[in-house]
Amino acid sequence: MSPRGVATPDVRERLFAAAERVVDKGGPGALTSRAVTTEAGCAKGLLHAHFAGLDEFVAELCLDRFARTAAKARALSGLVGQGTVAGNLDAVVLALFDSGGPALSGLALTRPAAARRIREALEGGAPGFAAIQEAVTGYLAGEQKLGRLAEAVDPHTVALALVGTAHHLLMTSWPGTSDPRPAMTRLVAALLRD
């Protein structure tokens, strides 16, 4: 445990990672500020020293994870012509399920103030599913120009199907349910067929 009065390096990420572990182990109901700080091995008040409360913490955690996945999706543009189209898409869509994605989505839904904060941030331009869809569409269009994706494939529709399915699986999965990753990999392969 970090002693009082000593700076904790990278406190946001440390708390976010601890929260993911707590939710992954015990589900959304297990998340309390004390559970997070205990899991993080830091002072009990640290979460409240950096966030206005648990709802703000949950919202910021979800927004941070959306932003990470959106950045990964934007990086797809640099992969046009490299690797396989399916492999590149898998890496992005499966990233939505990393770090306890389904459990975190469920957590946000159980906390109306956090859900409202997330919605407001997304409406204000924070990266989320729309940014991921846009990046996937651009990537697929680039692959199509190189002839690595059939002309019959509509990049916008494929991106919508991938992001929509990921969203559905995130909202309907919870700890203990079957892993949604294999279904996403099968969907990627099916959508890329001629």
Side-chain angles (χ1 to χ4, degrees):
M1 172 121 11
S2 300
R4 270 187 117 166
V6 174
T8 304
D10 201 14
V11 76
R12 281 176 56 96
E13 182 53 36
R14 185 172 175 182
L15 292 171
F16 288 167
E20 290 171 335
R21 292 189 301 273
V22 167
V23 172
D24 190 46
K25 290 178 204 170
L31 191 80
T32 63
S33 56
R34 182 172 295 265
V36 172
T37 55
T38 299
E39 180 70 26
C42 57
K44 301 296 177 217
L46 190 63
L47 186 142
H48 293 283
H50 290 274
F51 300 93
L54 196 56
D55 286 328
E56 181 183 272
F57 173 77
V58 167
E60 291 300 317
L61 169 58
C62 291
L63 290 167
D64 179 80
R65 295 325 192 220
F66 275 148
R68 285 179 178 209
T69 305
K72 193 169 198 167
R74 284 191 301 274
L76 277 172
S77 65
L79 297 177
V80 173
Q82 300 176 31
T84 67
V85 176
N88 292 337
L89 286 178
D90 272 349
V92 169
V93 296
L94 296 180
L96 287 165
F97 300 97
D98 290 344
S99 301
L104 291 179
S105 297
L107 175 63
L109 291 175
T110 65
R111 305 192 67 85
R116 185 173 42 259
R117 166 74 180 99
I118 292 166
R119 186 182 67 250
E120 289 168 356
L122 293 173
E123 288 171 353
F129 286 113
I132 296 165
Q133 181 182 340
E134 183 180 305
V136 170
T137 300
Y139 166 72
L140 291 171
E143 291 288 16
Q144 208 166 39
K145 286 179 186 170
L146 291 181
R148 289 174 26 110
L149 185 63
E151 284 296 319
V153 174
D154 176 19
H156 179 75
T157 301
V158 169
L160 176 61
L162 290 174
V163 172
T165 301
H167 184 266
H168 166 73
L169 291 172
L170 283 167
M171 295 298 130
T172 59
S173 299
W174 53 86
T177 60
S178 61
D179 185 357
R181 290 173 182 86
M184 287 303 300
T185 297
R186 288 190 304 274
L187 180 63
V188 167
L191 291 172
L192 297 180
R193 288 190 191 121
D194 293 344

